[in-house]
């Protein structure tokens, strides 16, 4: 089928797997004999109950989530988690938490937490190097007294990723995985809480995934709104109020697609190959330079540039005209960024490489 679809390298919302969109289209008008679309049905109907239950079961299976963790489908995006984490995990309004600042979103989370306690500490920052790498374990200044440690696992804007899971002793580790969740297997048991906005690798915008260990479902700080309390959502199986039904449905289809292609191991292998091709080209190019330092390279967001901002602008413009969209880098970094999430096919990366080689030859 010629769908006239382009290769969309957007950082998010981003491409969804074509088989997922086709299935959603086929089921759009009449879902499973219900006579209506998933967008129109009650969230208390047996149809939707089956959808949300399958989505959760598949999430557990695909990501190998231990039984003592809850999977929550929330709203408000990853940005709302910047507040929910301190509201629910700080032991008091004077509680301490350690924040690892490795990029823009990590910094936002750090700043938001400061609204809820004067004792939010900066455990490490690579801002002085414009975030071209993530901090090493031995650079982290962690307190054994902290209520939690917060990190951003994959830094979407700078194209960096932690090559290791920080060791935090008995202090729960909280990770923003918005731009890397479901990109490769991860040992969930090393984390107290993982959260992710869905619009990069999981579903359309509108649902936020929270994976939280049982013992962290405690009383929040006094005054915390009901809707911002993890316990509310855990006790009501993410149905305290109307959940984002359609994104949860697409999430289920995406997880089925991941299973159909061999699960997270197979997907990770694909993702690593796609990224390796791009980095290999960048490491050998005379014109383009990779932005992130080697040990910190993301396999989801590949940042690069030339030494000439005008040439970068020309690249963004000409690549878009060639059907390779959204390659312009974030305004805080400049240059280019190719977001190659799960749904970006290998052919998309091949097309980008071909375009880059031609551009290099002509400029
Ligand atoms: C996109 C992104 C966010 C922001 O997510 P929203 O859902 O728009 O709030 C936060 N953190 C990371 C790592 C992201 O990539």
């Amino acid at each position: 089928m010629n769908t006239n679809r382009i290769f969309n390298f957007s950082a998010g919302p981003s491409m969804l797997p074509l088989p997922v969109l086709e299935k959603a289209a086929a089921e759009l008008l009449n879902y499973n004999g219900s006579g209506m679309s998933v967008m129109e049905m009650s969230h208390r109907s047996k149809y939707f109950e089956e959808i949300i239950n399958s989505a959760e079961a598949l999430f557990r299976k695909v990501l190998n989530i231990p039984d003592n963790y809850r999977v929550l489908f929330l709203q408000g995006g990853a940005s709302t988690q910047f507040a929910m984490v301190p509201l629910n995990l700080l032991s008091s309004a004077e509680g301490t938490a350690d924040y690892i600042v490795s990029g823009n979103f990590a910094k936002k989370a750090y700043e938001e937490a400061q609204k809820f306690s004067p004792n939010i500490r900066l455990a490490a920052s690579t801002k002085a190097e414009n975030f071209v790498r993530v901090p090493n374990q031995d650079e982290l200044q962690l307190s054994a007294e902290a209520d939690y440690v917060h990190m951003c696992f994959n830094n979407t804007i700078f194209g960096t990723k932690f090559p290791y899971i920080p060791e935090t002793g008995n202090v729960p580790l909280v990770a923003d995985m918005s731009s890397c969740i479901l990109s490769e297997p991860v040992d969930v048991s090393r984390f107290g809480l993982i959260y992710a906005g869905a619009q990069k690798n999981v579903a359309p915008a509108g649902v936020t995934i929270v994976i939280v260990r049982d013992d962290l479902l405690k009383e929040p700080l006094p005054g915390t709104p009901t809707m911002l309390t993890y316990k509310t959502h855990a006790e009501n199986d993410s149905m305290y109020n109307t959940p984002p039904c359609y994104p949860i449905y697409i999430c289920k289809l995406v997880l089925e697609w991941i299973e159909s292609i061999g699960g997270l191991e197979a997907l990770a292998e694909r993702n690593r190959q796609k990224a390796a091709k791009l980095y290999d080209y960048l490491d050998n190019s005379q014109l383009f330079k990779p932005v992130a330092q080697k040990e910190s390279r993301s396999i989801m967001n590949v940042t690069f540039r030339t030494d000439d901002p005008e040439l970068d602008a020309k690249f963004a413009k000409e690549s878009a005209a060639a059907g390779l969209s959204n390659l312009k880098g974030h305004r805080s970094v400049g240059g280019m960024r190719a977001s190659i999430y799960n749904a970006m096919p290998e052919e998309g990366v091949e097309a980008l490489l071909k375009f880059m080689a031609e551009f290099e030859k002509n400029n």
Side-chain angles (χ1 to χ4, degrees):
M1 178 169 49
N2 178 13
T3 56
N4 286 328
R5 283 173 59 81
I6 60 171
F7 294 119
N8 175 13
F9 293 89
S10 167
S14 46
M15 292 181 81
L16 284 162
L18 189 57
V20 166
L21 295 175
E22 286 170 341
K23 178 118 199 252
E27 293 181 334
L28 183 66
L29 298 183
N30 184 350
Y31 174 77
N32 205 13
S34 65
M36 56 186 132
S37 79
V38 175
M39 281 178 270
E40 300 165 295
M41 60 180 53
S42 163
H43 59 294
R44 309 276 177 205
S45 65
K46 69 174 176 72
Y47 297 102
F48 187 72
E49 218 156 87
E50 196 270 326
I51 289 171
I52 192 167
N53 290 341
S54 315
E56 175 176 349
L58 281 163
F59 231 113
R60 290 186 169 282
K61 186 171 172 210
V62 166
L63 205 52
N64 200 13
I65 300 174
D67 287 344
N68 61 324
Y69 286 74
R70 300 296 307 266
V71 179
L72 307 178
F73 298 97
L74 308 184
Q75 303 194 55
S79 302
T80 297
Q81 295 308 309
F82 298 167
M84 275 182 85
V85 167
L87 281 168
N88 287 270
L89 268 48
L90 284 174
S91 52
S92 75
E94 279 82 45
T96 52
D98 287 333
Y99 275 71
I100 304 170
V101 173
S102 55
N104 210 47
F105 291 115
K107 185 161 163 285
K108 281 187 169 167
Y110 170 58
E111 287 164 358
E112 186 76 354
Q114 289 169 32
K115 293 187 168 178
F116 307 108
S117 166
N119 300 318
I120 303 300
R121 300 167 6 117
L122 184 63
S125 170
T126 46
K127 186 170 191 302
E129 296 157 67
N130 201 25
F131 298 124
V132 293
R133 66 176 184 92
V134 301
N136 302 314
Q137 174 80 46
D138 58 18
E139 292 174 289
L140 306 180
Q141 296 186 352
L142 302 175
S143 156
E145 308 302 313
D147 291 324
Y148 65 90
V149 176
H150 181 280
M151 70 178 307
C152 178
F153 212 81
N154 185 81
N155 298 283
T156 323
I157 291 175
F158 299 92
T160 63
K161 184 189 84 158
F162 277 77
Y164 69 101
I165 299 175
E167 185 50 65
T168 61
N170 288 327
V171 179
L173 178 60
V174 174
D176 178 354
M177 292 202 186
S178 294
S179 51
C180 60
I181 195 163
L182 298 178
S183 65
E184 54 187 345
V186 59
D187 182 356
V188 174
S189 72
R190 297 280 305 274
F191 299 86
L193 188 150
I194 292 169
Y195 64 87
Q199 65 273 20
K200 281 113 191 193
N201 247 350
V202 184
V207 62
T208 308
I209 310 297
V210 173
I211 302 165
V212 54
R213 211 172 58 208
D214 279 343
D215 61 291
L216 299 176
L217 295 167
K218 45 188 190 179
E219 286 305 319
L221 295 185
T224 300
T226 310
M227 276 295 289
L228 298 187
T229 302
Y230 290 129
K231 222 155 74 75
T232 307
H233 299 288
E235 284 170 357
N236 292 280
D237 297 322
S238 303
M239 296 269 242
Y240 171 75
N241 72 326
T242 316
C245 300
Y246 202 75
I248 292 171
Y249 159 69
I250 300 290
C251 170
K252 180 188 94 112
L253 297 186
V254 167
L255 289 161
E256 285 171 353
W257 171 75
I258 293 175
E259 283 231 290
S260 77
I261 62 166
L264 228 43
E265 295 282 355
L267 187 53
E269 191 48 41
R270 273 193 196 191
N271 285 333
R272 290 183 198 123
Q273 275 177 23
K274 285 187 294 181
K277 280 187 182 173
L278 277 172
Y279 286 121
D280 195 45
Y281 179 84
L282 291 170
D283 285 336
N284 292 299
S285 167
Q286 305 296 309
L287 180 67
F288 300 105
K289 296 169 177 58
V291 171
Q293 281 186 12
K294 225 168 204 163
E295 325 72 61
S296 297
R297 283 174 174 175
S298 166
I299 59 168
M300 294 281 99
N301 312 98
V302 178
T303 46
F304 57 100
R305 55 178 175 75
T306 69
D307 280 329
D308 176 0
E310 273 178 32
L311 209 51
D312 288 349
K314 188 175 178 220
F315 181 91
K317 199 169 155 224
E318 291 183 3
S319 55
L324 308 168
S325 84
N326 286 302
L327 283 161
K328 189 172 182 301
H330 190 271
R331 59 191 180 278
S332 62
V333 188
M336 281 74 76
R337 170 177 53 176
S339 293
I340 48 171
Y341 298 117
N342 287 346
M344 173 60 67
E346 184 130 15
E347 303 85 78
V349 171
E350 298 291 351
L352 173 58
L353 285 168
K354 190 159 164 264
F355 181 85
M356 287 170 80
E358 268 162 37
F359 190 88
E360 181 158 356
K361 203 166 72 203
N362 299 335
N363 288 280

